[in-house]
Amino acid sequence: MNDSTPAPVHAAADDVSLSIEGVTRTFGTTRAVDDVSIRVRRGEFVTLLGPSGCGKTTLLNLIAGFLALETGEIFIDGQPISGLAPHERNIGVVFQNYALFPHMTVADNVGFGLRMRGVSKAETARRVQEALEMVRLPQMGDRRPRQLSGGQQQRIALARALVIHPQLILLDEPFSAIDKNLRAEMQVELKRIQRQIGITTIFVTHDQSEALSLSDRIAVMAQGRVQQLSEPTELYRRPANSFVASFIGEINRLVCERRDEADCAVLCAGDVRLRLPLSRAIGSGTQATLYVRPEALRAVEAGTPEANFGAGRVEAQVYQGTHVDLIVQGDNGWLLRIREPGFEALERHPVGSRVGVHAELAEAHVFQPGAA
Ligand SMILES: Nc1ncnc2c1ncn2[C@@H]1O[C@H](COP(=O)(O)OP(=O)(O)O)[C@@H](O)[C@H]1O
Ligand SMILES: [Mg+2]
């Protein structure tokens, strides 16, 4: 999904809705959540993104109160919540597997949290209907969950979370059990509702395209720690470390020799010699790995000054509809993936031909090999 509607204007940076401060949780010897601190602005949509087992669900469970903190504190609107039971926290939660009560009607499922809180029957009925309308299923109140599709059940789960008018909503991989076709539709729908009511949202996924398309900011997690918390474009273009660079999108990883000068990092591989500002060269040493995305590389005429990334031989073409990837074996040993928009590269750069390679150095990053 490529949402072209403008992002909501953020409230002042100090308008913090959720504040996670130095939170840790271990299971035996596993540090599932390891000293995590995140501040989320009111109305912001923040995604926790990372591979399976990196601690996303554990962090959500700590916020919701299903698990106890070991260190740190969590604040909602400035109030510490670690002493509160889950139902005292005013947080809506949506799980991956819908988790609707099968024996209850849809309306009773949606109204469950209100009955638990002692809201009157008439007020419950009114708010249930309002929540069903919000998720565009106003006629479904009398049905049982099994009579609904997966996508509809997940909308009901969302209505059930929103009906209590929570200060915060948590969603744990809510669309991963839903058909791929329907998933895009559900994403648009969630974003519409989230913007409409302006609710602070923590969304968990291991799907980077879902994260990039929905989020105001993304926290990339690995091994219980937040590796980077940034806006999607920043995350993609300015990764903080090699894990983030490799985890988000496709990227060329190129080993270089490093011989720094006073004001810049100088990277060498064969006859290629690159100068990068030190601010984008993280760490130091005599070896480094250069990270550059395929779309920051371009095929040019070999031997020209434009070919700042050397020259090589086209080993393969990968046609992808909107672009062609050229796999180029560089004379200096680098194996490069170059992304050319359109389809012209299929004819212009046949397999076996020689090409020069130009790199947009403003889009290249250096990390120490193996550094997290
Ligand atoms: N109840 C538990 N008991 C023991 N280990 C757990 C428990 N819950 C999670 N873990 C471990 O904590 C780590 C993080 O798990 P989890 O938060 O579920 O990751 P994610 O949701 O990112 O896939 C994993 O190593 C997992 O095996
Ligand atoms: Mg999980």
Side-chain angles (χ1 to χ4, degrees):
M1 181 182 82
N2 236 330
D3 194 342
S4 60
T5 43
V9 177
H10 287 309
D14 58 0
D15 190 9
V16 174
S17 169
L18 170 70
S19 179
I20 300 169
E21 305 285 345
V23 161
T24 298
R25 172 72 200 215
T26 55
F27 295 106
T29 55
T30 307
R31 296 177 83 80
V33 169
D34 188 3
D35 192 21
V36 165
S37 296
I38 297 174
R39 287 183 190 165
V40 181
R41 292 186 284 269
R42 201 171 313 287
E44 197 177 19
F45 191 121
V46 169
T47 295
L48 309 177
L49 172 68
S52 177
C54 72
K56 306 180 296 293
T57 294
T58 303
L59 184 54
L60 272 205
N61 284 335
L62 292 168
I63 300 167
F66 302 133
L67 281 173
L69 299 175
E70 275 166 28
T71 69
E73 184 56 87
I74 297 173
F75 301 85
I76 296 183
D77 292 340
Q79 299 299 312
I81 60 167
S82 62
L84 301 178
H87 68 273
E88 296 169 324
R89 294 190 182 195
N90 203 21
I91 295 174
V93 186
V94 178
F95 300 100
Q96 176 182 338
N97 56 2
Y98 325 134
L100 300 175
F101 303 114
H103 57 285
M104 286 186 196
T105 64
V106 162
D108 285 344
N109 265 284
V110 174
F112 183 78
L114 296 176
R115 288 197 300 284
M116 291 287 286
R117 288 164 171 80
V119 175
S120 75
K121 253 188 153 167
E123 174 69 2
T124 296
R126 190 187 67 73
R127 277 166 65 175
V128 165
Q129 195 53 35
E130 180 187 80
L132 288 175
E133 275 162 23
M134 187 172 295
V135 299
R136 296 192 168 155
L137 292 174
Q139 315 292 346
M140 299 287 181
D142 294 331
R143 296 218 194 163
R144 306 273 162 177
R146 66 168 181 279
Q147 296 171 294
L148 304 178
S149 70
Q152 289 172 329
Q153 290 186 51
Q154 202 54 308
R155 284 172 196 241
I156 298 305
L158 182 60
R160 181 178 59 180
L162 293 173
V163 79
I164 62 169
H165 295 171
Q167 288 160 288
L168 175 68
I169 188 162
L170 310 175
L171 303 106
D172 193 355
E173 313 226 12
F175 307 140
S176 58
I178 291 175
D179 251 27
K180 198 164 177 280
N181 290 334
L182 198 56
R183 208 180 304 160
E185 195 183 308
M186 293 291 291
Q187 290 166 355
V188 173
E189 197 61 10
L190 173 66
K191 195 70 194 179
R192 174 186 67 77
I193 293 168
Q194 194 265 340
R195 285 212 171 115
Q196 184 184 325
I197 60 180
I199 189 166
T200 309
T201 302
I202 309 293
F203 182 90
V204 163
T205 186
H206 62 269
D207 176 342
Q208 51 163 300
S209 85
E210 186 166 81
L212 290 170
S213 68
L214 288 176
S215 316
D216 294 318
R217 286 188 300 160
I218 299 172
V220 176
M221 292 182 67
Q223 296 176 327
R225 300 188 77 106
V226 174
Q227 306 292 320
Q228 184 170 3
L229 173 57
S230 298
E231 293 179 8
T233 50
E234 178 80 6
L235 203 66
Y236 189 83
R237 297 189 56 202
R238 302 275 174 263
N241 58 37
S242 62
F243 178 84
V244 176
S246 306
F247 188 72
I248 310 285
E250 287 181 84
I251 204 154
N252 291 287
R253 270 183 279 193
L254 307 167
V255 175
C256 320
E257 255 184 85
R258 181 169 169 172
R259 308 177 202 140
D260 288 2
E261 290 170 8
D263 56 340
C264 64
V266 180
L267 305 172
C268 308
D271 59 353
V272 176
R273 192 180 154 88
L274 305 166
R275 301 165 72 88
L276 246 67
L278 281 169
S279 59
R280 284 215 321 284
I282 296 175
S284 59
T286 55
Q287 278 248 310
T289 306
L290 184 66
Y291 288 74
V292 58
R293 298 210 183 271
E295 63 270 28
L297 299 180
R298 209 152 37 80
V300 296
E301 200 174 322
T304 58
E306 222 190 347
N308 62 346
F309 230 56
R313 177 182 184 276
V314 177
E315 295 290 319
Q317 297 176 326
V318 185
Y319 178 56
Q320 293 284 296
T322 56
H323 60 264
V324 179
D325 280 355
L326 301 174
I327 311 301
V328 171
Q329 179 63 63
D331 298 340
N332 62 358
W334 284 351
L335 188 65
L336 302 169
R337 179 178 284 263
I338 301 176
R339 190 153 294 168
E340 294 280 320
F343 58 87
E344 289 84 358
L346 289 172
E347 281 203 5
R348 195 178 306 147
H349 305 295
V351 171
S353 64
R354 266 189 81 68
V355 290
V357 182
H358 175 81
E360 207 55 67
L361 290 184
E363 301 291 324
H365 303 273
V366 178
F367 302 110
Q368 292 313 110

